[in-house]
Amino acid sequence: MKPITIAKNVWNHASELQDKIDQGIINQNSVLYHYFGILTMFGAVQAAHYSNDQEWLNEVNDMLSKYPYEFETSKFYFKYNFSNYRVGGLAKAWSAMKGYFDDDHKEQVRKYAEETLAAPKSSDGILCMPHCPERELIWIDIAYAVTPFMLYAGIMLKEDRYIDFAIDQTIKLYDVFIDNSNGLLHQGRGFMGDLTTISEDYWGRGNGWGYIALTELVRYLPKDHKRYSEVLERYVSLSNALIKYQDFRGLWRQIINEPLAWEESSGTALFLYGFGVGMRLGILDKKVYMPVFEKGLIGLMQFCVGDDFSVDRCCHGCLCPGGSHGMAGKVESYLVDVRPVLDDGHAFGPVILAMLEAHRNGIDNLIWK
Protein backbone atom coordinates (compact mmCIF):
# COMPACT_ATOMS: atom_id res chain seq x y z
CA MET A 1 0.00 0.00 0.00
CA LYS A 2 1.20 3.53 -0.70
CA PRO A 3 2.47 5.29 2.44
CA ILE A 4 0.27 8.32 1.74
CA THR A 5 -2.76 6.00 1.60
CA ILE A 6 -1.77 4.58 4.97
CA ALA A 7 -1.50 8.13 6.32
CA LYS A 8 -4.99 8.99 5.13
CA ASN A 9 -6.45 5.79 6.52
CA VAL A 10 -4.88 6.48 9.92
CA TRP A 11 -6.45 9.95 9.78
CA ASN A 12 -9.83 8.45 8.83
CA HIS A 13 -9.61 6.00 11.73
CA ALA A 14 -8.84 8.82 14.19
CA SER A 15 -11.72 10.91 12.79
CA GLU A 16 -14.18 8.02 13.02
CA LEU A 17 -13.05 7.35 16.58
CA GLN A 18 -13.63 11.00 17.45
CA ASP A 19 -17.12 10.84 15.91
CA LYS A 20 -17.98 7.89 18.12
CA ILE A 21 -16.67 9.76 21.16
CA ASP A 22 -18.75 12.82 20.19
CA GLN A 23 -21.87 10.68 19.89
CA GLY A 24 -21.26 8.90 23.18
CA ILE A 25 -20.99 5.54 21.45
CA ILE A 26 -17.69 4.89 23.19
CA ASN A 27 -16.46 6.30 26.48
CA GLN A 28 -13.00 7.63 25.78
CA ASN A 29 -11.17 10.92 26.05
CA SER A 30 -10.98 13.06 22.92
CA VAL A 31 -8.37 12.02 20.36
CA LEU A 32 -8.49 15.16 18.17
CA TYR A 33 -9.56 18.10 20.36
CA HIS A 34 -6.42 18.33 22.44
CA TYR A 35 -2.74 19.21 21.96
CA PHE A 36 -1.97 15.76 20.57
CA GLY A 37 -4.88 16.09 18.14
CA ILE A 38 -3.23 19.25 16.83
CA LEU A 39 -0.20 17.09 15.94
CA THR A 40 -2.55 14.73 14.09
CA MET A 41 -3.95 17.68 12.14
CA PHE A 42 -0.40 18.91 11.46
CA GLY A 43 0.45 15.59 9.88
CA ALA A 44 -2.82 15.42 7.99
CA VAL A 45 -2.74 18.93 6.53
CA GLN A 46 0.80 18.36 5.25
CA ALA A 47 -0.05 14.93 3.86
CA ALA A 48 -3.08 16.35 2.07
CA HIS A 49 -1.02 19.28 0.74
CA TYR A 50 1.87 17.19 -0.58
CA SER A 51 -0.41 14.55 -2.11
CA ASN A 52 -2.67 17.17 -3.74
CA ASP A 53 -5.73 15.69 -2.04
CA GLN A 54 -8.05 18.71 -2.07
CA GLU A 55 -10.94 16.98 -0.32
CA TRP A 56 -8.74 15.88 2.56
CA LEU A 57 -7.11 19.31 2.71
CA ASN A 58 -10.52 21.00 2.94
CA GLU A 59 -11.59 18.62 5.69
CA VAL A 60 -8.57 19.35 7.89
CA ASN A 61 -8.56 23.09 7.25
CA ASP A 62 -12.26 23.26 8.03
CA MET A 63 -11.51 21.75 11.41
CA LEU A 64 -8.60 24.12 11.97
CA SER A 65 -10.76 27.12 11.01
CA LYS A 66 -12.86 26.47 14.11
CA TYR A 67 -9.94 27.34 16.37
CA PRO A 68 -10.05 29.24 18.63
CA TYR A 69 -13.67 30.33 18.86
CA GLU A 70 -15.88 27.30 18.30
CA PHE A 71 -13.88 25.05 20.61
CA GLU A 72 -13.81 27.60 23.43
CA THR A 73 -17.38 26.68 24.36
CA SER A 74 -17.18 23.03 23.36
CA LYS A 75 -17.53 20.26 25.91
CA PHE A 76 -14.25 18.99 24.47
CA TYR A 77 -12.33 22.18 25.29
CA PHE A 78 -9.26 21.52 27.40
CA LYS A 79 -7.20 23.87 29.49
CA TYR A 80 -3.90 24.07 27.67
CA ASN A 81 -0.46 24.70 29.14
CA PHE A 82 0.45 26.90 26.18
CA SER A 83 -1.94 29.37 24.65
CA ASN A 84 -0.96 28.76 21.02
CA TYR A 85 -2.79 25.44 21.19
CA ARG A 86 -6.01 27.44 21.45
CA VAL A 87 -5.58 28.78 17.92
CA GLY A 88 -4.68 25.36 16.50
CA GLY A 89 -0.98 25.40 17.32
CA LEU A 90 1.58 24.31 14.75
CA ALA A 91 -1.11 22.87 12.44
CA LYS A 92 -2.96 26.17 12.07
CA ALA A 93 0.29 28.15 11.77
CA TRP A 94 1.72 25.83 9.10
CA SER A 95 -1.48 25.90 7.06
CA ALA A 96 -1.69 29.68 7.34
CA MET A 97 1.96 29.96 6.32
CA LYS A 98 1.09 27.99 3.18
CA GLY A 99 -1.67 30.48 2.35
CA TYR A 100 -4.73 28.42 3.28
CA PHE A 101 -6.17 31.00 5.70
CA ASP A 102 -7.15 34.64 5.30
CA ASP A 103 -5.74 37.66 7.09
CA ASP A 104 -8.14 37.35 10.03
CA HIS A 105 -6.81 33.90 10.82
CA LYS A 106 -3.24 35.09 10.35
CA GLU A 107 -3.86 37.83 12.89
CA GLN A 108 -5.18 35.20 15.28
CA VAL A 109 -1.84 33.42 14.92
CA ARG A 110 -0.07 36.72 15.64
CA LYS A 111 -2.14 37.23 18.80
CA TYR A 112 -1.13 33.87 20.21
CA ALA A 113 2.48 34.29 19.13
CA GLU A 114 2.62 37.50 21.15
CA GLU A 115 1.07 35.70 24.12
CA THR A 116 3.73 33.01 23.77
CA LEU A 117 6.50 35.59 23.85
CA ALA A 118 5.08 37.02 27.07
CA ALA A 119 4.41 33.67 28.81
CA PRO A 120 6.12 32.87 32.14
CA LYS A 121 9.74 31.74 31.94
CA SER A 122 12.26 30.13 34.23
CA SER A 123 15.27 32.02 35.54
CA ASP A 124 17.29 30.68 32.59
CA GLY A 125 14.73 31.98 30.09
CA ILE A 126 12.82 28.80 29.23
CA LEU A 127 9.03 28.74 29.09
CA CYS A 128 7.77 27.02 32.21
CA MET A 129 4.55 25.56 33.55
CA PRO A 130 2.25 28.61 33.43
CA HIS A 131 -0.04 27.50 36.26
CA CYS A 132 2.80 27.54 38.82
CA PRO A 133 5.62 29.67 37.37
CA GLU A 134 7.24 30.06 40.77
CA ARG A 135 8.26 26.36 40.59
CA GLU A 136 10.04 26.91 37.23
CA LEU A 137 8.96 23.51 35.89
CA ILE A 138 10.33 22.85 32.42
CA TRP A 139 10.07 19.81 30.17
CA ILE A 140 11.25 18.87 26.67
CA ASP A 141 7.67 18.70 25.37
CA ILE A 142 7.82 22.53 25.29
CA ALA A 143 10.01 22.26 22.18
CA TYR A 144 7.15 20.64 20.24
CA ALA A 145 4.57 22.95 21.79
CA VAL A 146 6.29 26.21 20.92
CA THR A 147 9.09 25.98 18.35
CA PRO A 148 7.24 24.98 15.15
CA PHE A 149 4.33 27.33 15.88
CA MET A 150 6.60 30.33 16.46
CA LEU A 151 8.78 29.42 13.48
CA TYR A 152 5.86 29.24 11.04
CA ALA A 153 4.28 32.37 12.53
CA GLY A 154 7.54 34.23 12.10
CA ILE A 155 7.96 33.13 8.48
CA MET A 156 4.36 33.93 7.60
CA LEU A 157 4.23 37.31 9.37
CA LYS A 158 7.87 38.26 8.66
CA GLU A 159 8.54 38.60 12.37
CA ASP A 160 12.14 37.70 13.18
CA ARG A 161 11.31 37.96 16.89
CA TYR A 162 9.17 34.84 16.64
CA ILE A 163 11.81 32.89 14.72
CA ASP A 164 14.54 33.92 17.14
CA PHE A 165 12.34 32.86 20.05
CA ALA A 166 11.74 29.44 18.47
CA ILE A 167 15.45 28.88 18.03
CA ASP A 168 16.33 30.14 21.49
CA GLN A 169 13.80 27.93 23.28
CA THR A 170 14.87 24.78 21.44
CA ILE A 171 18.58 25.30 21.96
CA LYS A 172 18.13 26.12 25.63
CA LEU A 173 15.92 23.07 26.20
CA TYR A 174 18.32 20.82 24.32
CA ASP A 175 21.31 22.09 26.27
CA VAL A 176 19.56 21.59 29.62
CA PHE A 177 18.37 18.07 28.87
CA ILE A 178 21.10 16.54 26.71
CA ASP A 179 23.23 13.78 28.22
CA ASN A 180 26.53 14.00 26.41
CA SER A 181 27.45 10.45 27.43
CA ASN A 182 24.89 8.99 25.02
CA GLY A 183 23.51 11.95 23.06
CA LEU A 184 19.94 11.46 24.32
CA LEU A 185 17.53 13.85 26.02
CA HIS A 186 15.97 13.71 29.46
CA GLN A 187 12.39 14.95 29.90
CA GLY A 188 11.90 17.22 32.90
CA ARG A 189 13.48 19.50 35.47
CA GLY A 190 11.93 20.54 38.76
CA PHE A 191 9.36 17.75 39.04
CA MET A 192 11.46 15.80 41.53
CA GLY A 193 11.08 18.20 44.43
CA ASP A 194 13.60 20.95 43.72
CA LEU A 195 14.35 23.37 40.88
CA THR A 196 17.54 21.73 39.64
CA THR A 197 17.09 17.94 39.58
CA ILE A 198 16.58 16.47 36.11
CA SER A 199 14.60 13.29 35.46
CA GLU A 200 16.60 10.10 34.99
CA ASP A 201 14.79 8.95 31.85
CA TYR A 202 15.62 8.87 28.16
CA TRP A 203 11.94 8.79 27.25
CA GLY A 204 11.13 7.88 23.65
CA ARG A 205 8.47 10.44 22.80
CA GLY A 206 10.31 13.07 24.83
CA ASN A 207 13.27 12.68 22.50
CA GLY A 208 10.74 12.84 19.67
CA TRP A 209 9.43 16.17 20.96
CA GLY A 210 12.92 17.60 20.97
CA TYR A 211 13.71 16.08 17.60
CA ILE A 212 10.65 17.45 15.79
CA ALA A 213 11.56 20.98 16.93
CA LEU A 214 15.09 20.61 15.58
CA THR A 215 13.71 19.01 12.41
CA GLU A 216 11.42 21.93 11.61
CA LEU A 217 14.21 24.41 12.27
CA VAL A 218 16.65 22.75 9.86
CA ARG A 219 13.78 22.38 7.40
CA TYR A 220 12.86 26.06 7.24
CA LEU A 221 15.78 28.17 8.49
CA PRO A 222 17.94 29.66 5.73
CA LYS A 223 21.41 28.15 5.78
CA ASP A 224 22.89 31.61 6.17
CA HIS A 225 20.88 32.30 9.32
CA LYS A 226 23.19 33.34 12.14
CA ARG A 227 22.11 30.39 14.33
CA TYR A 228 21.58 27.74 11.66
CA SER A 229 24.87 26.00 12.47
CA GLU A 230 23.90 25.69 16.15
CA VAL A 231 20.61 24.06 15.21
CA LEU A 232 22.21 21.82 12.58
CA GLU A 233 24.86 20.56 15.00
CA ARG A 234 22.24 19.52 17.53
CA TYR A 235 19.95 17.97 14.92
CA VAL A 236 22.74 15.83 13.46
CA SER A 237 24.02 14.86 16.90
CA LEU A 238 20.60 13.67 18.07
CA SER A 239 20.01 11.86 14.77
CA ASN A 240 23.29 9.98 15.14
CA ALA A 241 22.49 9.09 18.74
CA LEU A 242 19.01 7.78 17.93
CA ILE A 243 19.97 5.37 15.15
CA LYS A 244 22.15 3.42 17.58
CA TYR A 245 19.09 2.33 19.55
CA GLN A 246 16.74 1.00 16.85
CA ASP A 247 15.85 -2.54 17.88
CA PHE A 248 15.73 -5.71 15.79
CA ARG A 249 12.08 -5.08 14.84
CA GLY A 250 12.77 -1.56 13.64
CA LEU A 251 11.29 0.22 16.67
CA TRP A 252 12.53 2.36 19.54
CA ARG A 253 11.65 1.76 23.16
CA GLN A 254 9.83 3.67 25.90
CA ILE A 255 13.22 4.23 27.54
CA ILE A 256 15.42 4.40 24.48
CA ASN A 257 18.58 2.85 25.87
CA GLU A 258 16.89 0.19 28.01
CA PRO A 259 16.89 -3.09 26.04
CA LEU A 260 14.12 -4.61 28.18
CA ALA A 261 11.76 -1.62 27.89
CA TRP A 262 8.59 -2.02 25.86
CA GLU A 263 8.56 -0.80 22.28
CA GLU A 264 6.74 2.49 21.71
CA SER A 265 5.12 3.73 18.50
CA SER A 266 4.91 7.53 18.81
CA GLY A 267 8.59 8.12 19.53
CA THR A 268 9.51 5.66 16.78
CA ALA A 269 7.36 7.48 14.23
CA LEU A 270 8.65 10.95 15.20
CA PHE A 271 12.23 9.75 14.72
CA LEU A 272 11.36 8.36 11.29
CA TYR A 273 9.77 11.67 10.32
CA GLY A 274 12.93 13.53 11.31
CA PHE A 275 15.16 11.08 9.43
CA GLY A 276 13.01 11.45 6.33
CA VAL A 277 13.27 15.24 6.38
CA GLY A 278 17.02 15.09 6.94
CA MET A 279 17.57 12.74 4.00
CA ARG A 280 15.46 14.89 1.68
CA LEU A 281 17.44 17.97 2.64
CA GLY A 282 20.75 16.20 2.07
CA ILE A 283 21.74 16.60 5.71
CA LEU A 284 21.61 12.91 6.63
CA ASP A 285 23.47 10.35 4.53
CA LYS A 286 20.94 8.14 2.74
CA LYS A 287 23.37 5.22 2.71
CA VAL A 288 23.28 5.25 6.51
CA TYR A 289 19.74 6.41 7.25
CA MET A 290 17.58 4.90 4.50
CA PRO A 291 17.98 1.29 5.75
CA VAL A 292 17.09 2.52 9.26
CA PHE A 293 14.14 4.47 7.85
CA GLU A 294 12.74 1.58 5.83
CA LYS A 295 13.18 -0.90 8.67
CA GLY A 296 11.36 1.48 10.99
CA LEU A 297 8.44 1.96 8.61
CA ILE A 298 8.00 -1.80 8.25
CA GLY A 299 8.28 -2.21 12.02
CA LEU A 300 5.55 0.37 12.55
CA MET A 301 3.24 -1.41 10.13
CA GLN A 302 3.95 -4.92 11.39
CA PHE A 303 3.77 -4.27 15.12
CA CYS A 304 1.93 -0.98 15.70
CA VAL A 305 -0.65 -0.33 12.96
CA GLY A 306 -3.67 -2.63 12.79
CA ASP A 307 -5.48 -3.77 9.68
CA ASP A 308 -8.20 -1.25 10.60
CA PHE A 309 -5.49 1.47 10.85
CA SER A 310 -5.71 1.67 14.60
CA VAL A 311 -2.37 2.42 16.26
CA ASP A 312 -1.07 0.41 19.20
CA ARG A 313 1.98 0.51 21.52
CA CYS A 314 1.62 4.23 22.24
CA CYS A 315 2.62 5.82 25.53
CA HIS A 316 -0.22 7.94 26.92
CA GLY A 317 0.34 11.32 28.56
CA CYS A 318 3.60 11.05 30.48
CA LEU A 319 5.23 13.84 32.48
CA CYS A 320 7.85 12.65 34.95
CA PRO A 321 5.59 9.84 36.27
CA GLY A 322 5.96 8.34 39.73
CA GLY A 323 5.27 11.42 41.82
CA SER A 324 2.43 9.75 43.70
CA HIS A 325 4.84 7.29 45.33
CA GLY A 326 8.05 9.28 45.56
CA MET A 327 9.54 7.98 42.31
CA ALA A 328 9.02 10.98 40.04
CA GLY A 329 11.22 10.93 36.97
CA LYS A 330 12.76 7.54 37.75
CA VAL A 331 13.35 5.09 34.93
CA GLU A 332 11.19 2.50 36.69
CA SER A 333 8.23 4.90 36.70
CA TYR A 334 8.37 5.39 32.93
CA LEU A 335 8.33 1.61 32.51
CA VAL A 336 5.87 0.52 35.18
CA ASP A 337 3.53 3.45 35.85
CA VAL A 338 3.00 4.09 32.13
CA ARG A 339 1.86 1.31 29.83
CA PRO A 340 1.31 1.11 26.06
CA VAL A 341 -2.17 2.05 24.84
CA LEU A 342 -4.25 1.26 21.75
CA ASP A 343 -5.56 4.35 19.90
CA ASP A 344 -4.27 6.87 22.39
CA GLY A 345 -4.57 10.41 21.07
CA HIS A 346 -0.79 10.76 20.85
CA ALA A 347 -0.55 7.83 18.44
CA PHE A 348 -1.95 9.07 15.14
CA GLY A 349 -0.01 12.24 14.30
CA PRO A 350 3.45 10.66 14.46
CA VAL A 351 2.45 7.76 12.22
CA ILE A 352 0.91 10.14 9.66
CA LEU A 353 4.12 12.19 9.69
CA ALA A 354 6.30 9.11 9.21
CA MET A 355 4.19 7.97 6.26
CA LEU A 356 4.28 11.47 4.78
CA GLU A 357 8.07 11.36 4.76
CA ALA A 358 8.03 7.87 3.25
CA HIS A 359 5.92 9.35 0.44
CA ARG A 360 8.19 12.36 0.00
CA ASN A 361 11.28 10.13 -0.03
CA GLY A 362 9.90 8.17 -2.96
CA ILE A 363 8.78 4.99 -1.19
CA ASP A 364 5.84 3.82 -3.25
CA ASN A 365 4.74 0.66 -1.48
CA LEU A 366 4.82 -0.78 2.03
CA ILE A 367 3.95 -4.43 2.59
CA TRP A 368 3.15 -5.66 6.08
CA LYS A 369 1.47 -8.54 7.84
Side-chain angles (χ1 to χ4, degrees), residues 14 20-21 40 42 44 87 99 101 104-105 108 110 149 169 237 245 259 293 311 317:
K20 291 178 181 177
I21 294 169
T40 306
F42 173 64
V87 75
F101 287 104
D104 287 343
H105 285 281
Q108 290 173 10
R110 186 191 301 275
F149 173 82
Q169 288 297 298
S237 177
Y245 295 101
F293 186 63
V311 182

Side-chain angles (χ1 to χ4, degrees), residues 10 17 28 31 35-37 39-40 203-206 209 251-255 262-270 300 303-306 310-318 334-335 337-351:
V10 169
L17 187 61
Q28 181 177 330
V31 295
Y35 73 89
F36 40 71
L39 183 67
T40 306
W203 177 41
R205 191 166 65 241
W209 291 145
L251 306 175
W252 280 261
R253 298 181 182 276
Q254 167 75 346
I255 296 294
W262 46 275
E263 294 163 320
E264 203 279 327
S265 61
S266 66
T268 292
L270 288 171
L300 270 182
F303 303 110
C304 303
V305 179
S310 58
V311 182
D312 206 350
R313 298 179 179 268
C314 181
C315 176
H316 64 71
C318 180
Y334 283 87
L335 298 179
D337 290 18
V338 186
R339 304 302 301 159
V341 178
L342 173 67
D343 279 349
D344 182 79
H346 296 85
F348 307 113
V351 172

Side-chain angles (χ1 to χ4, degrees), residues 83-143:
S83 64
N84 77 75
Y85 288 141
R86 296 174 62 194
V87 75
L90 78 171
K92 181 74 165 282
W94 188 90
S95 196
M97 180 182 72
K98 288 295 184 180
Y100 289 119
F101 287 104
D102 61 22
D103 289 345
D104 287 343
H105 285 281
K106 291 177 181 179
E107 288 306 309
Q108 290 173 10
V109 171
R110 186 191 301 275
K111 173 181 182 291
Y112 287 97
E114 290 292 334
E115 287 190 11
T116 301
L117 286 179
K121 299 173 188 67
S122 65
S123 54
D124 47 0
I126 299 171
L127 289 175
C128 59
M129 187 75 79
H131 314 303
C132 50
E134 70 284 354
R135 295 179 61 192
E136 299 194 14
L137 302 173
I138 65 169
W139 64 115
I140 193 61
D141 312 42
I142 296 168

Side-chain angles (χ1 to χ4, degrees), residues 43-65:
V45 75
Q46 288 194 85
H49 171 85
Y50 288 112
S51 62
N52 297 310
D53 188 329
Q54 192 62 49
E55 182 180 358
W56 188 11
L57 189 61
N58 291 342
E59 178 186 352
V60 184
N61 279 329
D62 180 65
M63 185 174 290
L64 287 171
S65 72

Side-chain angles (χ1 to χ4, degrees), residues 91-333:
K92 181 74 165 282
W94 188 90
S95 196
M97 180 182 72
K98 288 295 184 180
Y100 289 119
F101 287 104
D102 61 22
D103 289 345
D104 287 343
H105 285 281
K106 291 177 181 179
E107 288 306 309
Q108 290 173 10
V109 171
R110 186 191 301 275
K111 173 181 182 291
Y112 287 97
E114 290 292 334
E115 287 190 11
T116 301
L117 286 179
K121 299 173 188 67
S122 65
S123 54
D124 47 0
I126 299 171
L127 289 175
C128 59
M129 187 75 79
H131 314 303
C132 50
E134 70 284 354
R135 295 179 61 192
E136 299 194 14
L137 302 173
I138 65 169
W139 64 115
I140 193 61
D141 312 42
I142 296 168
Y144 151 73
V146 170
T147 291
F149 173 82
M150 295 298 282
L151 175 65
Y152 309 146
I155 293 170
M156 175 182 67
L157 299 168
K158 297 180 173 56
E159 285 279 6
D160 289 342
R161 294 179 301 134
Y162 301 164
I163 297 171
D164 291 344
F165 187 79
I167 297 168
D168 190 58
Q169 288 297 298
T170 296
I171 287 178
K172 283 181 175 177
L173 283 161
Y174 179 97
D175 290 353
V176 165
F177 290 126
I178 194 67
D179 186 331
N180 290 317
S181 70
N182 58 22
L184 300 175
L185 296 167
H186 298 287
Q187 186 189 16
R189 186 185 73 187
F191 294 89
M192 282 62 67
D194 61 65
L195 297 181
T196 60
T197 303
I198 292 174
S199 55
E200 297 177 0
D201 68 293
Y202 304 102
W203 177 41
R205 191 166 65 241
N207 278 263
W209 291 145
Y211 195 45
I212 194 173
L214 291 166
T215 297
E216 297 311 291
L217 288 171
V218 297
R219 183 180 173 191
Y220 286 108
L221 281 182
K223 291 185 178 180
D224 60 356
H225 190 281
K226 61 185 178 181
R227 302 196 73 181
Y228 177 80
S229 61
E230 294 178 73
V231 172
L232 180 65
E233 177 187 3
R234 289 162 175 79
Y235 167 79
V236 171
S237 177
L238 187 53
S239 300
N240 290 338
L242 290 169
I243 62 171
K244 298 174 185 177
Y245 295 101
Q246 186 180 39
D247 74 10
F248 70 102
R249 301 205 292 188
L251 306 175
W252 280 261
R253 298 181 182 276
Q254 167 75 346
I255 296 294
I256 293 175
N257 65 339
E258 173 49 67
L260 298 181
W262 46 275
E263 294 163 320
E264 203 279 327
S265 61
S266 66
T268 292
L270 288 171
F271 304 154
L272 296 175
Y273 171 71
F275 297 160
V277 170
M279 288 190 292
R280 279 195 300 103
L281 296 176
I283 296 171
L284 301 180
D285 186 347
K286 282 192 174 184
K287 291 180 181 178
V288 175
Y289 281 86
M290 186 57 79
V292 174
F293 186 63
E294 292 176 335
K295 183 178 180 179
L297 292 169
I298 293 169
L300 270 182
M301 298 311 302
Q302 286 187 332
F303 303 110
C304 303
V305 179
D307 57 8
D308 60 350
F309 300 96
S310 58
V311 182
D312 206 350
R313 298 179 179 268
C314 181
C315 176
H316 64 71
C318 180
L319 180 53
C320 293
S324 62
H325 47 86
M327 294 286 284
K330 301 288 187 182
V331 168
E332 302 96 301
S333 299

Side-chain angles (χ1 to χ4, degrees), residues 1-4 6 249 294-303 305 309 355 358 363-369:
M1 184 178 292
K2 292 180 181 296
I4 204 69
I6 295 168
R249 301 205 292 188
E294 292 176 335
K295 183 178 180 179
L297 292 169
I298 293 169
L300 270 182
M301 298 311 302
Q302 286 187 332
F303 303 110
V305 179
F309 300 96
M355 294 303 154
I363 296 174
D364 192 53
N365 189 33
L366 282 175
I367 300 172
W368 79 97
K369 296 180 181 179

